Amino acid sequence: MIDRRRLLASLAVAALPTHARAQSYPTRPVRLIVPFAPGGSVDTFGRLLSDRLSRSLEQQFYVENIAGATGNIGTGRAAKADPDGQTVLLAFSSHVINPALFASLPYDPIKDFEPVTLAVSATHAIIVHPSVPATSLADLIALVKANPGKYSFAHGGVGTPGHLLGEQLRLTAAIDLAPVPFNGAGPAVTSVLTGHTQIGVTALSPAAPQIADGKIRALAVTSARRSRLMPDVQTTAEAGQPAIVGDLWVGVLLPARTPKAIAELLQREIATHLAAPDLQEKLAAVGFEPVGSTSDEFARRMAAEAVHWRSVIEAAKIKPL
């Protein structure tokens, strides 16, 4: 009898128009899968967002960290979750890089998910130790060209946006610049700070205090616009390298076949929260800028980046993991 009642109830919900299902959503606590360990930037954003959504939608949203394989394990779990809106994935920009970086994945980054919004983004910076005799990106390119085999760049790990942006700089400028991987942006910044690696391509946020203190020099940021965190630093386009553009982002995804109305409801809620000045202040403290795109804009961004980063990985001859 219990199974029959559950079946009838589920059929009744499925028969409702999508707008009616969205109005009753969520019906129980919602898990936000963060496919990385606690304490990172995605986790930090997830906890800020879950608190806001819990209050506005009057149901608990909670973070579940499922780390491993550069986000692939948690993302695979999210792809296989029921498409009822009760499981939400917080995807990092590696979501569209991993298909070209790994020989196989337990999910399809486009087909297995319903896009909700590109929530926040953060720029990268091309940084140097003060001993490097370059005060502009053009200076740095000329310096490396004049000294083949001498310079390398630190980045936060194989296949990260910092790594791929550094490779793009190497390929675009036709310079001899060797990549040096570290376990995260923090250690990469530290290597530049101590002079062990004289150049770095890393997220701007962990380098910002040292840049402000003059311990590291920022030559350019890789975003399309200047960063509010360091408004005096040129973009790569302004520095004469418009092809070297990219940032990291956190987006919100649902399992494929989740009702559109639920995705639309979450997009509206998240965009509203991202417009709040107090949340923007908290995001700025960890290097994020609010975006809150539409689902269609996010879908186009993911599709374009998947093609772009694959071309960089293939041109740089980065072997699949």
Side-chain angles (χ1 to χ4, degrees):
M1 179 65 70
I2 293 175
D3 289 343
R4 183 171 180 272
R5 285 175 179 170
R6 286 177 178 169
L7 176 61
L8 290 173
S10 63
L11 290 174
V13 170
L16 288 173
T18 54
H19 72 273
R21 277 179 269 168
Q23 287 172 356
S24 63
Y25 171 83
T27 58
R28 62 184 187 276
V30 178
R31 67 171 178 166
L32 273 65
I33 291 181
V34 170
F36 302 99
S41 58
V42 183
D43 180 68
T44 298
F45 174 69
R47 294 178 191 281
L48 289 172
L49 181 63
S50 64
D51 178 63
R52 298 288 175 136
L53 291 175
S54 296
R55 283 183 275 158
S56 65
L57 291 177
E58 300 180 344
Q59 186 62 264
Q60 183 186 7
F61 283 70
Y62 65 95
V63 168
E64 181 177 341
N65 298 93
I66 306 177
T70 319
N72 290 336
I73 295 175
T75 302
R77 297 265 188 92
K80 293 176 175 60
D82 291 336
D84 55 6
Q86 298 300 139
T87 296
V88 178
L89 174 68
L90 292 186
F92 189 57
S93 42
S94 57
H95 186 79
V96 292
I97 295 172
N98 286 353
L101 194 62
F102 286 83
S104 63
L105 293 176
Y107 61 89
D108 184 298
I110 306 298
K111 294 179 181 178
D112 287 344
F113 294 96
E114 180 74 30
V116 176
T117 184
L118 193 158
V120 295
S121 66
T123 189
H124 277 63
I126 299 171
I127 57 176
V128 297
H129 187 268
S131 64
V132 175
T135 57
S136 69
L137 187 54
D139 286 347
L140 181 66
I141 291 171
L143 177 68
V144 177
K145 279 188 175 181
N147 297 273
K150 180 178 179 180
Y151 290 98
S152 57
F153 72 94
H155 61 79
V158 175
T160 60
H163 177 205
L164 300 184
L165 286 163
E167 292 286 6
Q168 198 170 10
L169 171 63
R170 178 180 68 82
L171 293 166
T172 302
I175 54 179
D176 186 0
L177 191 62
V180 181
F182 288 86
N183 187 25
V189 170
T190 299
S191 183
V192 177
L193 177 66
T194 57
H196 292 301
T197 313
Q198 292 182 299
I199 303 167
V201 185
T202 74
L204 175 61
S205 180
Q210 289 79 17
I211 295 169
D213 290 343
K215 296 176 180 178
I216 289 176
R217 185 183 305 127
L219 302 183
V221 294
T222 63
S223 48
R225 296 186 299 273
R226 292 195 183 196
S227 170
R228 285 187 285 184
L229 196 61
M230 290 275 165
D232 293 335
V233 180
Q234 285 187 322
T235 67
T236 45
E238 291 172 327
Q241 294 294 332
I244 306 167
V245 178
D247 52 22
L248 59 82
W249 45 258
V250 180
V252 180
L253 298 168
L254 292 164
R257 297 177 299 283
T258 299
K260 287 275 189 183
I262 292 177
E264 291 168 355
L265 172 64
L266 283 174
Q267 192 281 330
R268 290 194 300 270
E269 289 290 322
I270 293 168
T272 298
H273 290 309
L274 290 172
D278 62 322
L279 181 57
Q280 291 187 359
E281 185 176 342
K282 291 178 180 178
L283 292 173
V286 292
F288 280 132
E289 296 194 13
V291 180
S293 74
T294 67
S295 60
D296 287 342
E297 289 169 340
F298 187 23
R300 289 193 294 270
R301 172 79 176 262
M302 285 194 295
E305 286 199 8
V307 173
H308 172 69
W309 291 127
R310 179 176 290 277
S311 69
V312 173
I313 288 169
E314 291 176 349
K317 295 181 172 56
I318 300 171
K319 294 181 180 180
L321 300 176

